Each structure stands twice: as structure tokens, then as C-alpha cells.
Amino acid sequence: MSKTITPISLTKVPTLEFPELAETLVRIVNQYGAETMFIKDTADALKVRVQLVTALKVKERKHPESKLIQALYAKRRDVIAAMVHQAKAEQKANLSLQAEQLRLVIPFIEKFWNDVRSLNEKSINSSMKQMLGEVDTIEELKQAFNVLSLTVYLTELRTIETTLFDSREKRRKSKSSEPKVDSKQVKVNVSETITDLVHAIELARKAHPEVDYTALIGEINQLFTTYQSEIKAHSTRVKNANSKKNKPTEPTA
């Protein structure tokens, strides 16, 4: 049986272009009437599956909140470093009026931040929560930070932690609400149904010579040819680019 519908490499159609291809094919079939063309079952199957293909979209490389979160992580490290630096400077000055407070604060700060550069952000999250919690519950420690003028760092760190928590929660909730779509499988499923529809048209054309399939097939061919031409053009561009990349460099005179 000779084929009358232009072949198309569905697997090579770019994912972002696939929804338009599938939706256009559905519109073409609707225009001529699937029942009239004796392809209703296959056309209905494609209509069902084409609803899933609309979920195929460009994946965001980063969530909108991620940039803010990364900036806050960097700022938090800067504030921690500044707090440690000031505490060390006061320890080096060795002022007698601060001796008692330094005996409390220096070991306390070193316990959490002596090797802060080796800590990842999750470790810093945990250490920060513990440090701020202990300062809040141990009055003597809180007063020592105040005398050493280190309270301003704690205030800034609390502000950062609050903002970080809010941003992370927004990102988490946003990501959890996004539909989980297996783009590859969706494309495979719809491709199979498109192929089934093409075969159904070919069979119906032979089985019902009284029905004129010329216009239907002509529009499908025009649609498929457009995509197939772009696939070939893309393949040519890739081959040319690779050829230039692998071409040996001619020695200079």
C-alpha cells in the first residue's frame, strides 16, 4: 500500500515545538470531521493525549527566589566573618574591662564559626539556629555580646534568617505545586498516537474510496513538510558546525 502522507521524524521535533504540531494536527482533523473520515477513535485518542502536551514548556534554570537566597547566603557569611573578626580584634586588644565577657564569647563563637569556610549552607543553617537560640536563652551570654558591641551582628543575622526562611518557603511551596511532567514520556505517547492517526487515515482512504481525503491529506502534508524541512535544516547546521570545529588548523607560513 503506497503512503500518501509525508513521513516526519517525530522524535526529532524539538520539545518546545511539539505542542503546536500536535494541536495543529487536531485542528486539521476537526475541520474535516473525524467521524466523516472514519478515523474517530484514533482522533479522539489524540485529542485526549494532546491535552498533556501543553504541559511541555521551557524549564526554568533557577527559581525566582533562588537569586535572593544565594545573595542572602553570601551576606550571611560576610556578617559572620565580620563578627568573628571584631571578636578576635577585641581579644587581641585584651582590654581588662572586656576580659570577663571575652572569656564567654570567644569560645562560644569559635564553637560555631571557627571553620566556617568549610561549612555548607545547610550546616550554617543548623549552627545559626543553635547559636541564636543559646544567646536568647543565656542572659549572661546576651549581656556579653552587648558589652562587646557584637549585638548588631546578631540583629543583622536574625533579619537574614527570617528573610531566608520566607524565601526558601516560597520556593519550596512553588516547586511542590508545579505539576510533575515526564516530558520525554508525554512526547513518546503523543508521537505514537500521531503515528496511529496517520496509519488510520491511510487505511480509511483505502477502505472508503467514496470519501475524498485529498484536502485532509494535503493539509497534513503541508504541516509535516514544514516541520520536516526545519529538522533537516537544523541537522545541516549541526553538521556544518561540527565540521568547522573538527577541521584541522592549517599551519601558518
Side-chain angles (χ1 to χ4, degrees), residues 8-26:
I8 180 172
S9 306
L10 292 170
T11 57
K12 295 182 180 180
V13 176
T15 299
L16 294 181
E17 296 178 18
F18 205 77
E20 184 177 354
L21 168 61
E23 291 165 358
T24 304
L25 181 57
V26 168

Side-chain angles (χ1 to χ4, degrees), residues 115-168:
D115 195 20
V116 67
R117 291 183 180 180
S118 67
L119 300 178
N120 60 31
E121 302 306 332
K122 290 187 181 297
S123 295
I124 293 179
N125 291 341
S126 179
S127 294
M128 185 62 65
K129 183 176 181 179
Q130 185 178 343
M131 183 192 78
L132 294 176
E134 290 188 22
V135 172
D136 287 340
T137 55
I138 303 174
E139 188 62 32
E140 190 178 13
L141 191 58
K142 185 189 300 183
Q143 291 299 324
F145 267 85
N146 189 47
V147 170
L148 297 172
S149 300
L150 297 174
T151 303
V152 63
Y153 296 105
L154 299 180
T155 301
E156 185 67 19
L157 288 170
R158 286 191 179 94
T159 299
I160 291 173
E161 289 304 295
T162 299
T163 309
L164 264 175
F165 177 81
D166 292 342
S167 290
R168 286 195 298 256

